[in-house]
Amino acid sequence: MRVMQVDASPKRAHSSSKMLSAYFIERLRKSMPDIDVDYMDTSIEAPPHLTPAFIEAMYTPATDRSLAMKQVLSYSDKLCARALMADMLVCAMPMYNFCMPSSFKAFIDHLVRLNLTYTLNADGTTTGNLSRQKILFITTRGADLRPGSPWQKMDALRPALTAAFSFMGADDPVFVDVQPLESHDAVLKATVLDQARLSLDSIAQRWLADI
Ligand SMILES: Cc1cc2nc3c(=O)[nH]c(=O)nc-3n(C[C@H](O)[C@H](O)[C@H](O)COP(=O)(O)O)c2cc1C
């Protein structure tokens, strides 16, 4: 069982999203001690922004690519291989300015690749190739953007993750959106984190039962 764990908070300590993704991995490991975890922190190993050379190489058929084009794409090729090889993807990140941290957006930009993570069909439609993977997003938020809150409409994070990964074939990703974490009410913050751990317990149980 191979799990790709991707953290995107730039915090080196006291990150809620990193704490929760580590908690989830530990829940899996408890029942399955030999899981193979492929860890990436996009804030440390930050995927580079896309360049004109990358875009040209990406849209050149693989058989026509020059050596230079292959080199430009090699980081992205490896990232796609890591995701395609995984049985589970666990991505944890804080909400930044209503969406994802830019390092995770760069991660997505390298992951959405024709003939790797998606295929173009003869009729012009596309088929995503990450449909086998179980996918979990843990998102931490300072404010409360749950349905019913005045901030609900400002949540551009969950729709963006849903769209990008659905394009790559992940039709049913699981979300644990943890909020509000920047409340002055310490009890509320502790309750929200406890609820997140309970959700993660039940997702781990469900996923392990499915294997
Ligand atoms: C640069 C920056 C931008 C942020 N933008 C938002 C935001 O748009 N909405 C929100 O609810 N919280 C926002 N926050 C708060 C974080 O999402 C929140 O503190 C989160 O729990 C941090 O997770 P972490 O501890 O894993 O880094 C922002 C924090 C920072 C540092």
Side-chain angles (χ1 to χ4, degrees), residues 65-166:
R65 280 178 196 145
S66 64
L67 186 61
M69 284 175 166
K70 286 179 190 162
Q71 279 165 353
V72 163
L73 293 177
S74 69
Y75 176 91
S76 162
D77 289 344
K78 284 185 201 128
L79 210 59
C80 293
R82 286 167 73 177
L84 287 162
M85 237 192 308
D87 302 294
M88 300 174 178
L89 275 173
V90 176
C91 305
M93 71 203 73
M95 174 179 276
Y96 273 2
N97 300 311
F98 308 102
C99 203
M100 65 193 82
S102 57
S103 69
F104 195 82
K105 176 59 168 60
F107 171 83
I108 290 178
D109 289 341
H110 284 272
L111 197 61
V112 181
R113 283 283 308 282
L114 179 60
N115 295 329
L116 292 177
T117 51
Y118 76 96
T119 309
L120 186 59
N121 304 313
D123 63 0
T125 60
T126 56
T127 303
N129 298 328
L130 286 182
S131 53
R132 186 182 64 79
Q133 285 73 3
K134 293 183 181 303
I135 302 192
L136 166 65
F137 293 111
I138 299 166
T139 76
T140 49
R141 294 110 181 271
D144 189 347
L145 297 94
R146 285 175 291 186
S149 106
W151 294 92
Q152 178 188 353
K153 284 199 200 115
M154 308 288 274
D155 184 354
L157 173 55
R158 187 167 171 155
L161 292 173
T162 303
F165 280 78
S166 151

Side-chain angles (χ1 to χ4, degrees), residues 9 11 15-17 94-98 140 142-143 145 181-182:
S9 172
K11 286 187 199 162
S15 156
S16 304
S17 57
M95 174 179 276
Y96 273 2
N97 300 311
F98 308 102
T140 49
L145 297 94
L181 286 171
E182 297 294 338

